[in-house]
Amino acid sequence: MSEAATTVDIGLQPLPPLGGFARFSTVDYPGHLCAVLYTQGCPCRCRYCHNPHLQPGRGHSGISWPAIMAWLATRAGLLDAVAFCGGEPTAHKSLRAALRQVRALGFGTALHTSGIYPYNFSQMLPYVDWVGFDVKAPPARYAAVTGVPGSEVRVRDSMEWLLSGNVAYEIRTTVHPAILDTADLIAIARWLELLGVSRWVLQSFNPAGCVNGDLVTSYAPIDHELLDELRGYVPDISVR
């Protein structure tokens, strides 16, 4: 993947700038073997982010869309799907074109998103088979966790789009006691219950790639008694 060009002209706008590519993954689309494409750019500044190098939208990289598409064409029948991660993939309206191109090759599609761009997200949903949706905080603390004023409204709108459709999804929250305390997790659980969410994945903080030293040294596992209380609101909770 050494071509200098990073985008392909699709007649409307270039495809999203890529910041990374993994040929095989068994975890980015549960139950499926997929390739993973990482887009550049994210407005959120979550302290626990393990891909902080993808937060800025740097544009050019050594990863070319023509090379990616050519490689994917040789994997028809071998891979099930392509997952789009970030950064925040929905920051790029042209992701819809990328999803359509991948589906035209016969692959399923997965999208990992924070829901921070609800309109873009709604336009991409018809071309997505599975969504990994990050709920980062209770509504009252969303801006404090993401660094994006008004993000709770954007995320709520995206959640409504997701829950009103027929796309398979996973709602998950990264847990670190220095960011979300017991009251925060209970508030999230109550919010999800109101939205009609019955399954919730709590992701243990992953220190890999995190540049915040305080978080790396202060992590504590999720308390089992708290899990029992949270299941009073969302019955199916798993810890990953």
Side-chain angles (χ1 to χ4, degrees):
M1 305 296 174
S2 60
E3 287 86 348
T6 60
T7 57
V8 175
D9 185 0
I10 58 171
L12 297 174
Q13 55 189 320
L15 294 178
L18 295 176
F21 170 57
R23 287 173 171 80
F24 306 106
S25 171
T26 59
V27 298
D28 289 280
Y29 182 0
H32 296 77
L33 180 64
C34 65
V36 185
L37 297 177
Y38 296 88
T39 64
Q40 298 179 33
C42 180
C44 299
R45 293 298 181 266
C46 308
R47 292 165 58 200
Y48 53 73
C49 181
H50 59 269
N51 284 329
H53 62 289
L54 293 176
Q55 290 175 352
R58 293 190 171 91
H60 295 292
S61 72
I63 306 172
S64 127
W65 274 103
I68 291 290
M69 291 301 169
W71 182 84
L72 285 173
T74 69
R75 294 301 182 269
L78 301 175
L79 289 175
D80 301 320
V82 177
F84 290 85
C85 303
E88 173 50 56
T90 64
H92 309 282
K93 291 182 179 180
S94 57
L95 180 68
R96 185 170 72 163
L99 289 163
R100 292 174 64 182
Q101 287 193 14
V102 166
R103 290 169 73 92
L105 290 175
F107 297 105
T109 52
L111 174 64
H112 294 249
T113 184
S114 65
I116 204 79
Y117 294 100
Y119 176 77
N120 291 356
F121 180 58
S122 71
Q123 298 301 296
M124 295 163 190
L125 274 175
Y127 308 101
V128 176
D129 297 301
W130 180 86
V131 174
F133 195 101
D134 292 317
V135 172
K136 296 178 179 292
R141 294 203 60 241
Y142 237 95
V145 172
T146 64
V148 180
S151 52
E152 70 281 1
V153 177
R154 301 188 194 183
V155 172
R156 181 202 63 206
D157 289 348
S158 289
M159 287 272 282
E160 290 176 354
W161 278 109
L162 178 63
L163 297 173
S164 65
N166 297 313
V167 178
Y169 64 87
E170 172 183 279
I171 304 294
R172 69 272 183 106
T173 299
T174 297
V175 178
H176 192 298
I179 296 174
L180 299 175
D181 61 19
T182 296
D184 291 328
L185 290 171
I186 292 173
I188 295 173
R190 287 174 172 167
W191 183 33
L192 295 180
E193 181 188 34
L194 288 173
L195 291 169
V197 174
S198 60
R199 183 173 185 274
W200 185 22
V201 177
L202 299 180
Q203 298 184 141
S204 299
F205 166 71
N206 181 1
C210 179
V211 297
N212 190 306
D214 291 340
L215 295 186
V216 172
T217 58
S218 63
Y219 175 68
I222 302 169
D223 181 78
H224 287 288
E225 290 186 5
L226 173 58
L227 282 176
D228 291 338
E229 184 172 359
L230 296 176
R231 288 190 176 106
Y233 302 99
V234 181
D236 186 357
I237 295 179
S238 58
V239 177
R240 180 180 300 152

